[in-house]
Amino acid sequence: MKQWGRMAKYLSLFCLCLLLVISCTPKQQANTPSPGSVNTLAGDSRITIGTTEKPRTLDPADAYELGSLSLVFNMSDRLYTYEPGSTEIKPQLATELPKVSTDGLTYTIPIRKGIVFHDDTPFNAKAMEFSIQRFIENKGKPSFLLSDTVASVKATGEYELTIKLKKPFAAFPSLLAFSGVCAVSPKAYQIGAGKFVANNFVGTGPYKLAKYGTDSLRFDIFDKYWGEKPTNKGVNVQIQTSPVNLFNAFKTGAIDVAYLSLQPDQIQSLEASAKKGDWQAISAQGSVISLMALNRNQKPLDKVEVRQAIASLIDRQLLNNRVLLSQADPLYSIIPTTFNVSLPLFKEKYGDGKFEEAKKSLVAADFSQANPAKVQIWYPASSMTRSLVAQTLKSLADTKMDGLLQIEVKTVEGATFYKEISKGLYPSALLNWYPDFLDPDNYVQPFLACEKGADATGCQTGGSQTQGSFYYSETMNKLIDQQRKEQNPEARKKIFADIQNQVLTDVPYIPLWQNKDFIFAQKGVTNVNLDPTQNLIYKTIKK
């Protein structure tokens, strides 16, 4: 009996301890990741997305980087959005495309009814007026997109918006599809220069922001969303500190989808494993282009024959294979093949690696082995890709041009590069261009237009001065103005052909390549797509 009593006492003590252990163990709640972590439990229908793109802000009036805009895009709606796989826009918060006045200055837009913001504020034309005015008047990084174009915006009815332009601009509806020109709640935001809300977002989109952290964000379903609901139960965004960490997180299954930004060798490795069935590799043609700017105010590039010689020297196939690991498409126009107005004129006239033609052009410009053309190529130091491109071009000049052309490679810190290029310090420069909106105009006007300049001095104020070519052509200015005013698509297409032919002759820029976008998804994850502006579309992804 004493022995049993001792056993009973010990058993009671054991049960008490067990109860305490169970009671004190923290419970993991479903679908609630701890700070900095993401829930990837088997059977969890939330999607975990990994990226290295850290958002600077979530305020659409100040968001101008892909890392910020992609998040805003998925939490918001705009008046217009893009058809899947197309650069054609369709109504979103608007019910139809704008009615345009005969002078091309007034746009009347009918607004959708029955929509509320994430904070339950009703959406109407007045709320859209507020959102657009705020985008302009708060003077954030992208504000110029509308401030340079819009004269006034007014709710002319509860569900009608009227926008008047300063001058005709045929691509204006595409501007209204820019991620930052989205509807935001008038109760959650203020109008005023610099009055931004960096760590929150209140819009009308399919997701609302549930958590904002330095290394992770959580998007929950907005249950009052007016449109088609997401096919998943929410999204966790995991921000990796480096491409290596993103690469490893995907390989170990810690994330469902990896997008932006992996290195070319990592993409190559993941593609090889995808072919074995380890996961999915999804590629899409991108809208980002790379090109070389040639400064017409710097010798010897003041001679068009030298610019034409460099155009003949470029070997895009070599660059694509050796530098880009076949992860891009060679580009032969300043306008990418995303648009049906793009013409591969550089391929027809200059080709790739036409060294004999390059030599003839240099000789015609009075250069020789005793008097070679000397050209510097500049690029930002952080860009390994552009470093390899510059070194490859130097190698081609050294080995193929018989001493007629000497290339010197120069680099500088990124912030300095972008500040100094508009001052004309760089004879030539390697540039990437991320479009602000999807229209051929955005690949033409920012590079070729000049507000103030002359044939003798080049461009003093304008797009070509900002991009470092200092190109000036009164003919080009007129063509750009014409295409901006022209509402007829076929007539506008003809004008873009004239613009591209002028670039072919004058060679202020040399197109190099058009990027491809690569996304990697685990097996069982479906409907992974990009919109034409490189935004990963969250709401269609499911597993």
Side-chain angles (χ1 to χ4, degrees):
M1 291 295 294
K2 289 182 180 179
Q3 185 177 13
W4 174 251
R6 286 196 297 270
M7 289 178 64
K9 182 169 71 173
Y10 290 141
L11 184 61
S12 299
L13 185 60
F14 170 79
C15 292
L16 178 61
C17 291
L18 181 61
L19 179 63
L20 288 172
V21 168
I22 293 172
S23 300
C24 293
T25 300
K27 295 181 180 179
Q28 181 69 39
Q29 296 198 4
N31 298 336
T32 308
S34 59
S37 70
V38 177
N39 188 342
T40 57
L41 295 175
D44 178 18
S45 56
R46 292 183 67 87
I47 303 297
T48 303
I49 295 169
T51 182
T52 61
E53 298 288 318
K54 186 173 184 177
R56 178 182 58 84
T57 180
L58 295 182
D59 195 315
D62 195 34
Y64 197 46
E65 304 85 6
L66 193 56
S68 295
L69 288 172
S70 63
L71 299 172
V72 169
F73 169 81
N74 282 288
M75 292 186 289
S76 69
D77 296 314
R78 296 145 299 285
L79 287 169
Y80 300 100
T81 189
Y82 292 98
E83 290 281 1
S86 169
T87 57
E88 297 297 319
I89 61 169
K90 65 176 183 178
Q92 191 174 43
L93 291 177
T95 59
E96 59 186 55
L97 293 176
K99 293 179 181 177
V100 186
S101 61
T102 54
D103 62 4
L105 292 176
T106 304
Y107 286 68
T108 304
I109 303 170
I111 300 298
R112 196 175 296 277
K113 300 177 182 179
I115 298 174
V116 296
F117 289 98
H118 297 157
D119 61 358
D120 287 333
T121 302
F123 168 78
N124 51 28
K126 197 70 179 175
M128 197 69 229
E129 174 195 313
F130 169 86
S131 301
I132 293 176
Q133 284 185 334
R134 182 177 184 272
F135 184 91
I136 296 170
E137 296 178 26
N138 284 35
K139 300 186 184 302
K141 283 193 171 186
S143 62
F144 72 94
L145 291 173
L146 294 187
S147 63
D148 291 350
T149 307
V150 174
S152 66
V153 54
K154 188 74 176 177
T156 47
E158 187 175 2
Y159 295 102
E160 181 185 85
L161 188 72
T162 300
I163 302 176
K164 293 188 177 181
L165 306 187
K166 296 176 180 177
K167 52 187 176 182
F169 184 31
F172 181 65
S174 295
L175 268 180
L176 297 178
F178 177 69
S179 296
V181 190
C182 59
V184 294
S185 170
K187 287 187 178 180
Y189 296 90
Q190 292 180 297
I191 292 179
K195 292 184 177 181
F196 300 119
V197 181
N199 299 339
N200 195 21
F201 182 83
V202 184
T204 62
Y207 297 100
K208 57 183 181 180
L209 184 66
K211 171 181 172 292
Y212 179 88
T214 57
D215 58 1
S216 65
L217 296 92
R218 179 186 172 107
F219 291 179
D220 287 347
I221 303 295
F222 179 38
D223 57 4
K224 296 181 182 179
Y225 184 57
W226 63 273
E228 187 176 347
K229 300 293 192 296
T231 57
N232 51 62
K233 297 299 183 183
V235 171
N236 301 319
V237 179
Q238 193 180 81
I239 301 168
Q240 301 290 339
T241 56
S242 70
V244 172
N245 289 346
L246 177 60
F247 178 74
N248 291 332
F250 180 77
K251 287 190 70 174
T252 58
I255 56 180
D256 297 313
V257 179
Y259 177 57
L260 294 177
S261 297
L262 292 163
Q263 298 295 340
D265 59 330
Q266 295 169 337
I267 292 173
Q268 190 177 54
S269 173
L270 291 176
E271 279 193 304
S273 296
K275 290 177 181 178
K276 300 175 184 176
D278 294 343
W279 41 68
Q280 304 172 72
I282 302 145
S283 64
Q285 186 185 66
S287 55
V288 176
I289 65 170
S290 293
L291 63 162
M292 177 186 284
L294 303 177
N295 186 344
R296 53 89 73 196
N297 287 345
Q298 287 261 15
K299 293 183 180 297
L301 295 170
D302 57 333
K303 295 186 175 184
V304 67
E305 296 90 349
V306 177
R307 302 197 297 271
Q308 291 173 340
I310 296 174
S312 295
L313 171 76
I314 302 293
D315 189 339
R316 293 167 186 78
Q317 304 298 334
L318 178 67
L319 294 178
N320 196 27
N321 294 334
R322 182 177 296 179
V323 177
L324 305 170
L325 303 181
S326 300
Q327 295 168 16
D329 290 318
L331 183 62
Y332 297 96
S333 169
I334 197 169
I335 301 174
T337 57
T338 312
F339 305 98
N340 64 3
V341 303
S342 177
L343 299 172
L345 301 181
F346 271 74
K347 185 174 186 177
E348 297 168 8
K349 181 168 183 176
Y350 300 111
D352 289 290
K354 296 294 182 68
F355 308 118
E356 294 304 318
E357 294 299 319
K359 293 175 191 176
K360 289 178 183 178
S361 295
L362 291 172
V363 171
D366 297 324
F367 291 101
S368 64
Q369 291 179 337
N371 177 37
K374 299 179 180 179
V375 177
Q376 292 179 345
I377 298 179
W378 287 77
Y379 66 91
S382 60
S383 176
M384 180 58 67
T385 298
R386 279 178 275 185
S387 172
L388 293 172
V389 169
Q391 294 294 341
T392 302
L393 296 180
K394 172 177 168 52
S395 177
L396 288 176
D398 291 344
T399 59
K400 303 293 185 180
M401 295 301 294
D402 296 340
L404 291 171
L405 176 65
Q406 294 179 3
I407 288 178
E408 182 183 6
V409 175
K410 305 283 284 186
T411 187
V412 67
E413 191 270 329
T416 302
F417 176 85
Y418 294 111
K419 182 174 71 173
E420 301 292 345
I421 191 171
S422 62
K423 297 179 181 179
L425 300 183
Y426 309 139
S428 71
L430 298 175
L431 306 175
N432 288 342
W433 177 249
Y434 292 78
D436 296 314
F437 58 96
L438 281 181
D439 186 87
D441 174 83
N442 200 230
Y443 295 86
V444 169
Q445 192 271 345
F447 290 92
L448 302 169
C450 182
E451 298 168 16
K452 179 182 178 183
D455 290 328
T457 60
C459 186
Q460 296 171 297
T461 304
S464 65
Q465 169 256 329
T466 302
Q467 302 294 348
S469 77
F470 294 82
Y471 174 67
Y472 177 82
S473 166
E474 190 58 38
T475 299
M476 183 64 77
N477 285 338
K478 290 178 180 178
L479 288 171
I480 290 172
D481 285 343
Q482 287 172 17
Q483 65 83 14
R484 289 194 140 206
K485 294 176 183 177
E486 184 57 63
Q487 294 286 340
N488 183 293
E490 287 304 314
R492 197 166 179 244
K493 186 175 182 179
K494 172 63 170 62
I495 300 170
F496 280 121
D498 293 340
I499 289 172
Q500 290 169 91
N501 273 294
Q502 191 75 35
V503 172
L504 186 74
T505 301
D506 298 341
V507 199
Y509 304 91
I510 301 173
L512 298 175
W513 70 84
Q514 181 174 346
N515 78 314
K516 287 181 182 177
D517 296 315
F518 291 88
I519 320 165
F520 296 94
Q522 303 291 352
K523 290 189 292 186
V525 176
T526 60
N527 293 332
V528 180
N529 298 294
L530 296 177
D531 94 321
T533 60
Q534 291 187 293
N535 290 310
L536 181 63
I537 303 171
Y538 293 175
K539 69 179 185 179
T540 62
I541 304 174
K542 62 181 179 180
K543 64 176 180 178

